[in-house]
Amino acid sequence: MKLIQKLGLILFLIGLGSFILIPFLGNYSLDKELVLANTKDIHQAKMAEILEPMYGESYSSNFTFLNAFGDYFNTYNDQLKAEANWDQVIWDDYSFSLALAGLDSPVKDDPWMFFALSIGLAVLGGIFYNLPKYQGEPEGIKNNGIFHSSMKNRGILGMITGSFLILFYILLYWFPAYLVTLVAMVSPISEMLSGNPASQWFLYGLIYTLAIIVMGVRMFRKYRGNKYQQLRTASVMFFQTAFAFLIPEILVLLNQPYFDFKNIWPLDYDFFYDYQISTFLSSGGVGMFMLIWGILLIIVGVPVFTYFFGKRWYCSWVCGCGGLAETVGDPYRQLSDKSLKAWKYERYIIHGVLVLAVVMTLVTIANYFSGFSFLGNATNQLHSFYGFAIGSAFAGVVGTGFYPFMGNRVWCRFGCPLAAYLGLVQRFKSRFRITTNGGQCISCGNCSTYCEMGIDVRAYAQKGQNIVRSSCVGCGVCSAVCPRGVLKLENGSEENRITDFPILIGNDSVKLNA
């Protein structure tokens, strides 16, 4: 089996290397027809004039092409800004669309071959590596040598992995023009699903989904014998593949709005933006159903389901962010900070993001229904700030890129406004709790070590105190790694859910803190 794993690792590294190399393959050129075909009507004449010096030139890389484009485009805009001619400034960024249109690459000519050599090999290698894991060993969760691993304990491999993820997210969110070759590679898949060419977001969604599937196989192997872990892994794989990836693309193919039925405000922070509301209202019965469905999830679905099952019904069973954290991020769960200081920061930051999301949404709705007489276009500035700081930098760059540095639930723990909303309901009005049997606790610390949300579970277990924390996502790993069966996830009566007078177990034997 080790031979198969070694083969899998080799295939994965070849696929990853190809994926990194592909953006550098190809030449770029522009002509007037391409510029006119890929810019808005109001900008066509001016863009054709601005970029005229690039016509007939061949650029050997995206770096040289984009540098030339930036020089001409920014020179024009900077002069207008200096003269305060703001109405003539071209605010649209055409670098991605023009780079994609001007690309001449073997990847564009034979996308399926390059897809097989990059993403295909990486997926195949990942499955080959994960399938034989723990073969011939008895069931039971094994984390042997995890703190001696360069990948899993902030070693050099972990630093390289984290840096790669951070760089990828920076390019994806702010410099997607450097990824146009990869986008062209997956365009045939996008055209099959939605009938449209791929964007950087389709590329991301495809990679995201495949990563959850491949690492989901690892979860099945690692947590075999534990039905709860197997079921929730299958659940996040299903919801990501079907609801977050396939169904929205198929809706577009059917000329319906792109919509993820499992995404809930305020995580789906643009749900109440004016263009979204207009899209829903102009799409007939289907659009109206989407709008009503989203509102019902917010005001009925979240409190009802959280009351009966805790926030785990969403964070550990449905959410795409949680799905990536639980699969791709599982090897890093032990890196979450368990300190009291981190907990204090967590409470202020995550609830601060929730307040910001609520205020932004209320202002947006008020401005929309007032015909934009309330704040005019000021809401666009607020949307841009939130999208940059929270939607991109926090959720993407930090939330995923920092897996190898701070654990797998950085976004869920410190930034997700929906997690904050769910957590408030779970803390004060829910049947969910983790019960403890303090008399059986041997203080091994496994539960606290592998709590991805940074909860010191052992401290509760030692006191025989129920764990009722707004941050707990009910992943159940603390219970799964406990060698004594001390912890149990329960949905019981609210009576005695919060134990105010726990049993204290220490050097002076057992005392009742009454």
Side-chain angles (χ1 to χ4, degrees), residues 246-268:
L246 293 178
I247 292 177
E249 296 292 335
I250 294 172
L251 284 171
V252 174
L253 181 65
L254 300 176
N255 294 318
Q256 299 298 332
Y258 183 97
F259 190 69
D260 181 353
F261 285 94
K262 67 171 183 53
N263 210 2
I264 306 174
W265 177 91
L267 178 60
D268 182 15

Side-chain angles (χ1 to χ4, degrees), residues 421-461:
Y421 173 27
L422 290 159
L424 289 172
V425 179
Q426 174 173 276
R427 177 64 179 83
F428 296 107
K429 195 65 177 176
S430 176
R431 296 165 62 90
F432 173 72
R433 85 292 308 269
I434 300 178
T435 57
T436 62
N437 182 356
Q440 292 292 317
C441 180
I442 58 174
S443 299
C444 67
N446 277 353
C447 52
S448 293
T449 298
Y450 297 104
C451 176
E452 59 192 356
M453 299 304 292
I455 300 171
D456 188 2
V457 181
R458 179 173 59 179
Y460 290 89

Side-chain angles (χ1 to χ4, degrees), residues 23-269:
F24 300 97
L25 300 179
N27 298 312
Y28 297 80
S29 61
L30 278 183
D31 56 42
K32 186 175 182 179
E33 288 70 26
L34 281 178
V35 174
L36 295 177
N38 290 277
T39 53
K40 294 179 181 178
D41 292 344
I42 59 172
H43 297 148
Q44 286 180 346
K46 184 54 66 175
M47 286 296 296
E49 177 186 335
I50 294 170
L51 300 178
E52 186 175 2
M54 297 181 68
Y55 299 165
E57 296 289 335
S58 179
Y59 299 90
S60 59
S61 71
N62 49 17
F63 292 100
T64 55
F65 174 82
L66 292 172
N67 281 338
F69 173 86
D71 287 342
Y72 296 118
F73 185 73
N74 293 333
T75 299
Y76 169 79
N77 273 342
D78 289 343
Q79 182 177 352
L80 291 176
K81 291 175 182 178
E83 298 170 355
N85 292 322
W86 305 107
D87 57 330
Q88 298 180 38
V89 173
I90 299 177
W91 298 102
D92 297 81
D93 182 5
Y94 291 110
S95 60
F96 176 84
S97 58
L98 290 176
L100 185 59
L103 174 65
D104 179 20
S105 169
V107 179
K108 208 170 185 179
D109 298 332
D110 196 354
W112 287 108
M113 182 186 75
F114 284 92
F115 179 83
L117 291 174
S118 56
I119 295 176
L121 281 183
V123 169
L124 185 63
I127 292 174
F128 276 10
Y129 183 82
N130 288 324
L131 271 179
K133 287 180 76 69
Y134 313 108
Q135 189 72 29
E137 299 180 14
E139 291 181 352
I141 300 166
K142 297 169 182 63
N143 293 300
N144 300 338
I146 197 167
F147 287 104
H148 297 281
S149 169
S150 177
M151 174 64 79
K152 301 173 185 176
N153 193 33
R154 302 188 181 102
I156 185 64
L157 291 179
M159 300 298 103
I160 293 173
T161 301
S163 300
F164 175 79
L165 289 172
I166 290 170
L167 176 61
F168 175 75
Y169 273 92
I170 289 174
L171 292 175
L172 178 74
Y173 282 114
W174 299 301
F175 305 100
Y178 290 100
L179 303 176
V180 292
T181 317
L182 293 170
V183 172
M185 180 181 71
V186 299
S187 262
I189 303 175
S190 176
E191 290 169 2
M192 283 194 305
L193 292 175
S194 68
N196 295 319
S199 66
Q200 72 268 34
W201 303 119
F202 180 84
L203 170 69
Y204 178 51
L206 178 62
I207 296 172
Y208 196 105
T209 302
L210 291 174
I212 288 178
I213 291 172
V214 171
M215 293 301 284
V217 173
R218 175 188 174 276
M219 291 289 285
F220 285 133
R221 298 300 301 151
K222 180 178 179 180
Y223 294 97
R224 68 196 190 286
N226 189 310
K227 290 184 178 180
Y228 183 81
Q229 298 301 325
Q230 301 243 321
L231 284 173
R232 76 185 187 90
T233 299
S235 177
V236 295
M237 292 169 69
F238 167 75
F239 277 103
Q240 172 60 34
T241 304
F243 281 77
F245 183 62
L246 293 178
I247 292 177
E249 296 292 335
I250 294 172
L251 284 171
V252 174
L253 181 65
L254 300 176
N255 294 318
Q256 299 298 332
Y258 183 97
F259 190 69
D260 181 353
F261 285 94
K262 67 171 183 53
N263 210 2
I264 306 174
W265 177 91
L267 178 60
D268 182 15
Y269 59 88

Side-chain angles (χ1 to χ4, degrees), residues 325-336:
E326 292 293 348
T327 53
V328 176
D330 180 73
Y332 306 107
R333 62 170 53 249
Q334 69 279 353
L335 300 179
S336 61

